[in-house]
Amino acid sequence: LNGKMILAPLSRGGNLPFRRLCADFGMETAFSEMIYARSLLKGDAVEQARLRRSSNEKYYGVQIATNQIEEGVNVIQHIEQAGADFVDLNCGCPIYEATRRGLGSSLLRSPKKLGNLVAGVGGGADKIYV
């Protein structure tokens, strides 16, 4: 990764047009905006739009927010179909919208639960890195 440009996940900032522009200027790896797994599974159009990958993104990862293993495993199927190369489990977002749901940085309050979540979601992925 030395010398490679990687665009971190940016909620409300890392949208498709911005990522496309960054790729034009040499970004090699991009992350989607944070996607609420439960909302995506319910068919939310905004979350579905966040899955889209630009044709000029060399490597593309999708960041998900979940605190349930089954939900994480199920959403990975959608992510694989969208053509992502890897999945990033959000464990650091401090915004109230995430933490009030037990997502993002609130996961860090229970290391054992977080460990089980990572192992369960990662273990449920067949074709994609988590």
Side-chain angles (χ1 to χ4, degrees), residues 11-12 27 29 31 49 55 58 69 80 82 88 97 107 115 119:
S11 289
R12 299 183 181 97
M27 174 200 66
T29 302
F31 289 82
S55 61
K58 187 172 180 179
I69 293 171
E80 288 175 342
D88 173 53
E97 183 63 27
L107 292 170

Short mmCIF file of all heavy atoms in Angstrom, two decimals, residues 11-12 27 29 31 49 55 58 69 80 82 88 97 107 115 119:
data_model
loop_
_atom_site.label_atom_id
_atom_site.label_comp_id
_atom_site.label_asym_id
_atom_site.label_seq_id
_atom_site.Cartn_x
_atom_site.Cartn_y
_atom_site.Cartn_z
N SER A 11 -18.95 9.43 5.11
CA SER A 11 -20.41 9.56 5.13
C SER A 11 -20.79 10.95 4.62
O SER A 11 -20.22 11.95 5.03
CB SER A 11 -20.96 9.38 6.55
OG SER A 11 -20.83 8.04 6.93
N ARG A 12 -21.75 10.97 3.72
CA ARG A 12 -22.26 12.18 3.09
C ARG A 12 -21.20 12.92 2.27
O ARG A 12 -21.37 14.07 1.94
CB ARG A 12 -22.86 13.11 4.14
CG ARG A 12 -24.03 12.50 4.87
CD ARG A 12 -24.65 13.50 5.84
NE ARG A 12 -25.74 12.88 6.55
CZ ARG A 12 -25.64 12.35 7.76
NH1 ARG A 12 -24.50 12.36 8.39
NH2 ARG A 12 -26.70 11.82 8.33
N MET A 27 -6.67 7.78 -7.47
CA MET A 27 -7.09 6.93 -6.35
C MET A 27 -7.22 5.49 -6.85
O MET A 27 -7.80 5.23 -7.88
CB MET A 27 -8.44 7.41 -5.81
CG MET A 27 -9.01 6.50 -4.74
SD MET A 27 -10.78 6.73 -4.55
CE MET A 27 -11.40 6.13 -6.11
N THR A 29 -8.02 2.74 -4.49
CA THR A 29 -8.95 1.99 -3.66
C THR A 29 -9.94 2.96 -3.04
O THR A 29 -9.56 3.98 -2.48
CB THR A 29 -8.21 1.24 -2.54
OG1 THR A 29 -7.24 0.37 -3.14
CG2 THR A 29 -9.16 0.41 -1.70
N PHE A 31 -13.85 3.37 -0.81
CA PHE A 31 -14.90 2.81 0.02
C PHE A 31 -16.20 3.55 -0.27
O PHE A 31 -16.19 4.76 -0.52
CB PHE A 31 -14.58 3.02 1.52
CG PHE A 31 -13.46 2.19 2.04
CD1 PHE A 31 -12.15 2.58 1.84
CD2 PHE A 31 -13.72 1.04 2.75
CE1 PHE A 31 -11.10 1.82 2.35
CE2 PHE A 31 -12.69 0.28 3.26
CZ PHE A 31 -11.38 0.66 3.06
N ALA A 49 -28.45 2.94 -3.81
CA ALA A 49 -27.65 3.84 -4.65
C ALA A 49 -26.21 3.91 -4.14
O ALA A 49 -25.28 4.06 -4.94
CB ALA A 49 -28.28 5.22 -4.69
N SER A 55 -17.02 2.76 -12.94
CA SER A 55 -16.23 1.89 -13.82
C SER A 55 -14.72 2.17 -13.71
O SER A 55 -13.92 1.31 -14.06
CB SER A 55 -16.69 2.05 -15.27
OG SER A 55 -16.50 3.39 -15.69
N LYS A 58 -10.57 1.08 -9.36
CA LYS A 58 -9.78 -0.14 -9.49
C LYS A 58 -10.18 -1.17 -8.43
O LYS A 58 -10.44 -2.32 -8.73
CB LYS A 58 -8.30 0.19 -9.38
CG LYS A 58 -7.38 -0.97 -9.65
CD LYS A 58 -5.94 -0.53 -9.71
CE LYS A 58 -5.03 -1.70 -9.99
NZ LYS A 58 -3.63 -1.30 -10.07
N ILE A 69 -25.12 -10.56 13.25
CA ILE A 69 -24.38 -11.44 12.33
C ILE A 69 -25.22 -11.81 11.12
O ILE A 69 -24.76 -11.66 9.97
CB ILE A 69 -23.89 -12.70 13.07
CG1 ILE A 69 -22.84 -12.33 14.11
CG2 ILE A 69 -23.33 -13.73 12.08
CD1 ILE A 69 -22.45 -13.45 15.05
N GLU A 80 -21.86 -8.40 -2.92
CA GLU A 80 -21.19 -9.22 -3.94
C GLU A 80 -21.81 -8.98 -5.31
O GLU A 80 -21.11 -8.83 -6.31
CB GLU A 80 -21.27 -10.70 -3.58
CG GLU A 80 -20.39 -11.10 -2.42
CD GLU A 80 -20.57 -12.55 -2.00
OE1 GLU A 80 -21.60 -13.17 -2.36
OE2 GLU A 80 -19.68 -13.06 -1.29
N ALA A 82 -23.21 -6.37 -6.33
CA ALA A 82 -22.90 -5.01 -6.79
C ALA A 82 -21.47 -4.92 -7.34
O ALA A 82 -21.09 -3.90 -7.91
CB ALA A 82 -23.08 -4.01 -5.65
N ASP A 88 -16.19 -3.57 4.56
CA ASP A 88 -15.61 -2.96 5.75
C ASP A 88 -16.73 -2.82 6.78
O ASP A 88 -17.76 -2.20 6.49
CB ASP A 88 -15.03 -1.59 5.39
CG ASP A 88 -14.57 -0.81 6.60
OD1 ASP A 88 -13.78 -1.36 7.39
OD2 ASP A 88 -14.98 0.35 6.75
N GLU A 97 -26.86 9.12 14.94
CA GLU A 97 -27.74 8.28 14.12
C GLU A 97 -27.28 6.82 14.13
O GLU A 97 -28.08 5.90 14.10
CB GLU A 97 -27.80 8.80 12.68
CG GLU A 97 -28.74 8.06 11.78
CD GLU A 97 -30.20 8.14 12.20
OE1 GLU A 97 -30.60 9.12 12.86
OE2 GLU A 97 -30.95 7.20 11.87
N LEU A 107 -20.09 -0.09 19.09
CA LEU A 107 -19.66 -1.49 19.10
C LEU A 107 -18.39 -1.68 19.93
O LEU A 107 -18.13 -2.77 20.45
CB LEU A 107 -19.43 -2.00 17.68
CG LEU A 107 -20.66 -2.13 16.80
CD1 LEU A 107 -20.25 -2.40 15.35
CD2 LEU A 107 -21.57 -3.23 17.30
N GLY A 115 -16.05 -8.87 18.52
CA GLY A 115 -15.28 -10.00 18.01
C GLY A 115 -16.16 -11.07 17.40
O GLY A 115 -15.85 -11.62 16.33
N ALA A 119 -16.20 -12.14 13.42
CA ALA A 119 -15.99 -13.55 13.07
C ALA A 119 -17.21 -14.11 12.34
O ALA A 119 -17.07 -14.82 11.34
CB ALA A 119 -15.72 -14.38 14.32
#
